[in-house]
Amino acid sequence: MQIVGHRGAAGLAPENTLFAVRTALDLGVSRIEIDIRQVDNELIVIHDETVNRTTNGKGDIHELGFKRIRRLDAGKGERIPCLAEVLKAAYPKAEVNIEIKDTSCVELLVTQLEVLEQSLPGIMKHTMVSSFLHDQLEKIRTLLPRLRRAPLVRDVQLHQIRRFAALQPCSLNIHRRYVTPEIVNEAARYGMKTFVYTVNKRSQGRKLHHMGVFGIITDRPDIFLDEGFF
Ligand code: G3P
Ligand code: CA
């Protein structure tokens, strides 16, 4: 089962920072998950639409603008990183699951990945996108079909899973409370692996491992990468 660092490794370091990403990489994760939003003409790595919860500042990211956001402390002296900084830090050690958090990201994301690919030729294969905004994944499928896509869902009914097939997704990423063996099997029928978020207890991880999920997304990769887990 793959262990994916959530927001880098949010349980061990300030979330969505380079410090969190490096912490996860040092622990040996095969993949990290991060959140992106567009501000001005930049893609920044942040979960919320405001900086209130995760930095020493206050305000809406769009009102603050990129330059002011970059001056904030996101914890332990870390800055809010740009997407390219995270991708470069992770490559080629781990894949990156970029969660698209707003509807304005896609065009810039495609441009940035194409530019980055010039200097880091393997990077596209090490990158995938996920989102609750399934129309944004459809846009990606049209603009950059070789970039892997994963619909994010909280809850899903069995009969709804086939609807995702049109997206030609690599995985279904689902909340831990709603995943069942039937969902895992149905997703597999349509070519999707199953990733489950956010799993922070060993007992939950073991149950999901037995259920046959492909990966878990966790704030605490250390507790699953420890020798005693499997
Ligand atoms: O990718 C799974 C998970 O990150 C989705 O929820 O709120 O942590 O972005 P959230
Ligand atoms: Ca996320």
Side-chain angles (χ1 to χ4, degrees), residues 6-7 16 33-35 47 99 101 130 132 152:
H6 186 232
R7 308 183 195 174
N16 282 323
E33 186 267 359
I34 50 153
D35 306 292
H47 182 277
E99 186 189 338
K101 280 292 187 197
S130 61
F132 289 104
L152 261 166

Side-chain angles (χ1 to χ4, degrees), residues 16-130:
N16 282 323
T17 61
L18 285 174
F19 180 29
V21 168
R22 290 189 184 117
T23 301
L25 295 175
D26 288 347
L27 286 164
V29 298
S30 49
R31 204 180 283 226
I32 55 163
E33 186 267 359
I34 50 153
D35 306 292
I36 62 160
R37 294 180 180 275
Q38 178 166 357
V39 174
D40 300 331
N41 204 33
E42 303 284 349
L43 292 174
I44 59 167
V45 180
I46 189 167
H47 182 277
D48 303 351
E49 217 166 354
T50 76
V51 298
N52 302 359
R53 181 178 63 83
T54 56
T55 76
N56 60 344
K58 274 213 177 327
D60 178 284
I61 54 171
H62 301 103
E63 281 162 22
L64 285 165
F66 180 69
K67 280 192 181 148
R68 277 202 279 173
I69 287 172
R70 287 284 270 189
R71 281 188 225 120
L72 300 173
D73 186 339
K76 301 208 158 124
E78 289 287 304
R79 304 289 142 200
I80 291 176
C82 291
L83 172 64
E85 292 173 316
V86 168
L87 293 177
K88 285 179 195 164
Y91 184 76
K93 287 190 189 160
E95 295 188 11
V96 179
N97 167 0
I98 303 170
E99 186 189 338
I100 297 172
K101 280 292 187 197
D102 69 40
T103 53
S104 63
C105 290
V106 165
E107 281 82 5
L108 187 57
L109 175 61
V110 168
T111 307
Q112 288 197 357
L113 285 174
E114 284 175 339
V115 169
L116 212 51
E117 203 182 26
Q118 310 286 316
S119 51
L120 298 172
I123 201 141
M124 206 72 83
K125 285 193 190 134
H126 274 250
T127 308
M128 58 170 286
V129 284
S130 61

Side-chain angles (χ1 to χ4, degrees), residues 205-218:
R206 286 214 177 90
K207 213 170 134 195
L208 293 164
H209 182 46
H210 291 128
M211 203 186 276
V213 312
F214 187 79
I216 55 173
I217 303 175
T218 176

